[in-house]
Amino acid sequence: MHPRFHTAFAELPASLQTALEPLMRHDDFPSMLTAQQVDAVKDACGLDNDALAFALLPLAAACSITPISHFQVGAIARGVSGNLYFGANIEFSGAPLQQTIHAEQCAVSHAWLRGEKSLASITVNYTPCGHCRQFMNELNSGTGLAIRLPGRAPATLGDYLPDAFGPKDLNITTLLMDTINHGFTLAETDALSAQALDALNQSHAPYSNAQSGVALETHDGKIYTGRYAENAAFNPSLPPLQAALVLLTMSGADCQQINRAVLIERNGANLSQFDATRATLAALGCQNLTHHRV
């Protein structure tokens, strides 16, 4: 089992420990449960969907990286597939606070990057901030997305974000987590660039049309990709590097073990991820960044 889970796992009810141990015993546990695994755990422990999500929150929070706040937030996203995806807040020493990833953003992008098509609910151990409420308003699940908090009555995103401003106000019809392929190509590409290009082609950038994708290669040769997730309110947008760092972190890898990175952006776009990507990677100890435009 990955060391980050040891303390939280030891505090779970015995029946839940027994059900989860075969799934979590290896260091490369992907911080998610498939629908089949979810059903098996629920049957073994007598839990429903909401109760299981609440029970898993300490494990999600254990994935946090908080060198600045020392405050751990965990989130569990339940996909319409029945899969459960962990999320946690991730901070970076030496980088601006704006580069921080919130737990809800982490859980949402984690689900999206693993191929989930829509979300049914988000369970969080603390009330979502306004930034995260606006970020979730970009989702194709809309304001009907169920939000679950400990000790609170069931509610929806619409309850937490009344009179919301979002993509529909701007006549945007392709929403975050909708399937899309922008169809960009790159003449000459290696394996890492090919994966960054694939990420760009699935990115969500309906306001700026500044599609972008990132691929990270760690010292052990593994590759993690991230897609830009733009927001109607602009500031809650999640850069592609942050999305890639979500997948890397949730997979149990180390953000400070990145060997090289590729950023690909649409040529002629009126904004660029390059400077922020380079600066954040530098804060993580990676200076090897290749930049392509398509």
Side-chain angles (χ1 to χ4, degrees), residues 61-238:
C63 297
S64 295
I65 302 174
T66 57
I68 301 168
S69 70
H70 307 291
F71 185 79
Q72 294 185 323
V73 184
I76 301 290
R78 181 163 63 89
V80 293
S81 66
N83 293 353
L84 295 180
Y85 306 89
F86 292 15
N89 56 322
I90 303 173
E91 303 163 0
F92 310 105
S93 295
L97 287 177
Q98 289 88 343
Q99 302 306 308
T100 297
I101 304 165
H102 295 224
E104 295 89 335
Q105 289 180 307
C106 183
V108 168
S109 55
H110 187 198
W112 185 37
L113 291 168
R114 292 205 186 272
E116 189 65 54
K117 301 304 182 184
S118 189
L119 296 184
S121 68
I122 292 275
T123 302
V124 195
N125 59 350
Y126 294 100
T127 303
C129 68
H131 184 94
C132 289
R133 298 179 197 195
Q134 182 65 45
F135 180 80
M136 291 187 287
N137 193 42
E138 197 72 25
L139 288 164
N140 58 13
S141 40
T143 54
L145 177 69
I147 306 292
R148 300 289 185 259
L149 291 163
R152 302 280 187 91
T156 66
L157 178 59
D159 296 321
Y160 283 97
L161 191 66
D163 299 321
F165 177 85
K168 293 181 180 178
D169 297 291
L170 298 171
N171 298 316
I172 298 300
T173 56
T174 302
L175 306 175
L176 184 58
M177 295 189 79
D178 283 346
T179 300
I180 194 166
N181 185 341
H182 297 295
F184 289 99
T185 59
L186 189 63
E188 297 183 10
T189 179
D190 61 6
L192 195 62
S193 297
Q195 294 209 35
L197 180 66
D198 183 64
L200 174 148
N201 280 323
Q202 297 180 70
S203 62
H204 176 73
Y207 309 102
S208 68
N209 286 315
Q211 294 86 5
S212 57
V214 161
L216 307 175
E217 181 185 77
T218 50
H219 291 336
D220 59 4
K222 293 182 179 178
I223 295 175
Y224 304 91
T225 63
R227 317 161 188 157
Y228 182 34
E230 202 164 68
N231 191 271
F234 285 18
N235 286 352
S237 301
L238 189 72

